[in-house]
Amino acid sequence: MFFKKKMQHDYDLDMHNIPGHIAFIMDGNGRWAKKRKMPRTYGHHEGTKTIRTLALEANRLGVKAMTVYAFSTENFKREASEVEYIFKLPKEFFNLYLKELMENNVQIRYIGHLEMAPIETQNIIKEAIQRTSVNSGLILTFAFIYGGRDEIVEATKVICEKYKNGEISLDDMTEDYFEQHLMTKDLPPVDLMVRSSGECRLSNFLPWQLAYAEFIFDETLWPDFDEEHLHRAIAIYQGRERRFGGVLK
Ligand code: IPE
Ligand code: IPE
Ligand code: MG
């Protein structure tokens, strides 16, 4: 489903049907910058503001978890200078917003291969996780150096090792058991996936977890995505009929 920006609309949200977990593919930073004849990195810089805006609003609405795709395992194919710039953004983001996120009771987490990031980036993210671990509001998870296929392969390896050591039998291998080995094991199920910038693909984001999520593809470029776009996405979600393979009475 496609939507053009920009609207001035009050969406009448059903507060009893707010998605518990929203996953965002934050796409379109480069095109946003290009339109302004600016370097791609400027788009990434502006895109971080959207994370803050949406996290605060999602928290206010009572969303339990929000996961943002910040860097994919495939994004290493980009120019080294762009990759280096993106790896510096967590420092900027948390310097600017950690205090406010703390005040709003937001918890920070990450999924992905943090160990592949520069040590300073690792430390900044770990500190934010540790400092916010006492909070009980929105769980804001950064998928950072994350790849969905990689996550599944890694989980499979751990389980194979357990099988080889005789810790489990084949009958123990259920969907629930497998899920407990994914990086998202402590997060609620994803109800809604929103991708900005009009691209209609997953790009290796949460392939297992999105099996029964609702998808919304919005044409808005990520730095332009704001509270109103979030409200619209939730309103569309609330208009969907989730059947999970069953038949509604
Ligand atoms: C998303 O914006 C951010 C990352 C992938 C890190 P892009 O950088 O993909 O922006 P476009 O798609 O080139 O416009
Ligand atoms: C997906 O966006 C990755 C992130 C948003 C971090 P990409 O811009 O990398 O995806 P493709 O290359 O268009 O599929
Ligand atoms: Mg892109």
Side-chain angles (χ1 to χ4, degrees):
M1 204 180 289
F2 273 88
F3 295 93
K4 292 231 181 276
K5 64 181 274 245
K6 154 86 185 173
M7 61 281 163
Q8 295 280 322
H9 202 292
D10 263 345
Y11 292 94
D12 200 8
L13 298 182
D14 173 359
M15 296 310 284
H16 298 291
N17 186 22
I18 295 291
H21 185 171
I22 309 179
F24 289 98
I25 301 182
M26 312 190 284
D27 201 11
N29 291 347
R31 276 163 284 166
W32 185 91
K34 196 172 172 206
K35 268 171 67 179
R36 288 161 180 77
K37 303 199 179 349
M38 296 292 281
R40 296 176 54 80
T41 48
Y42 180 59
H44 296 315
H45 175 265
E46 289 298 298
T48 59
K49 297 180 186 169
T50 303
I51 304 175
R52 171 211 171 246
T53 305
L54 297 188
L56 292 178
E57 184 59 8
N59 190 41
R60 196 185 69 80
L61 292 171
V63 174
K64 292 196 170 38
M66 167 173 155
T67 299
V68 292
Y69 203 10
F71 192 88
S72 74
T73 44
E74 290 73 24
N75 287 147
F76 279 113
K77 291 177 191 165
R78 298 185 180 200
E79 296 264 344
S81 57
E82 182 174 345
V83 173
E84 278 163 27
Y85 184 86
I86 292 171
F87 283 174
K88 287 190 187 130
L89 286 175
K91 183 175 179 182
E92 186 183 307
F93 180 83
F94 290 123
N95 277 345
L96 283 172
Y97 307 128
L98 186 60
K99 187 168 174 282
E100 190 184 28
L101 293 169
M102 266 311 275
E103 284 162 6
N104 283 277
N105 206 19
V106 172
Q107 308 173 57
I108 303 295
R109 308 234 187 118
Y110 82 89
I111 52 172
H113 287 283
L114 190 60
E115 76 285 356
M116 289 167 77
I119 192 76
E120 197 192 9
T121 310
Q122 293 184 32
N123 289 339
I124 292 281
I125 295 176
K126 282 181 190 161
E127 191 194 324
I129 291 167
Q130 196 252 324
R131 281 182 57 191
T132 59
S133 62
V134 291
N135 294 347
S136 56
L138 177 84
I139 301 170
L140 173 60
T141 302
F142 288 83
F144 192 66
I145 319 184
Y146 172 86
R149 288 178 176 172
D150 164 80
E151 180 187 28
I152 290 171
V153 169
E154 289 301 316
T156 309
K157 281 191 202 163
V158 171
I159 295 167
C160 285
E161 197 64 32
K162 288 184 183 173
Y163 179 72
K164 198 174 81 183
N165 297 339
E167 289 170 48
I168 57 163
S169 72
L170 271 189
D171 289 340
D172 292 323
M173 180 64 167
T174 60
E175 289 185 12
D176 285 345
Y177 185 79
F178 189 82
E179 241 167 26
Q180 282 310 306
H181 293 79
L182 294 174
M183 295 166 178
T184 49
K185 63 179 162 41
D186 296 323
L187 296 175
V190 184
D191 297 307
L192 172 62
M193 189 289 297
V194 181
R195 182 169 187 153
S196 58
S197 90
E199 306 293 0
C200 299
R201 52 179 172 266
L202 284 186
S203 303
N204 207 10
F205 186 47
L206 301 174
W208 172 286
Q209 296 85 345
L210 295 179
Y212 263 107
E214 294 296 325
F215 288 10
I216 292 175
F217 297 100
D218 190 306
E219 286 215 326
T220 312
L221 301 174
W222 183 252
D224 289 330
F225 206 97
D226 63 15
E227 293 99 331
E228 207 173 324
H229 298 94
L230 173 66
H231 292 181
R232 181 171 63 181
I234 295 175
I236 294 166
Y237 167 86
Q238 292 182 342
R240 301 258 178 98
E241 209 175 66
R242 299 185 79 188
R243 290 191 286 273
F244 299 98
V247 178
L248 285 191
K249 302 225 165 60

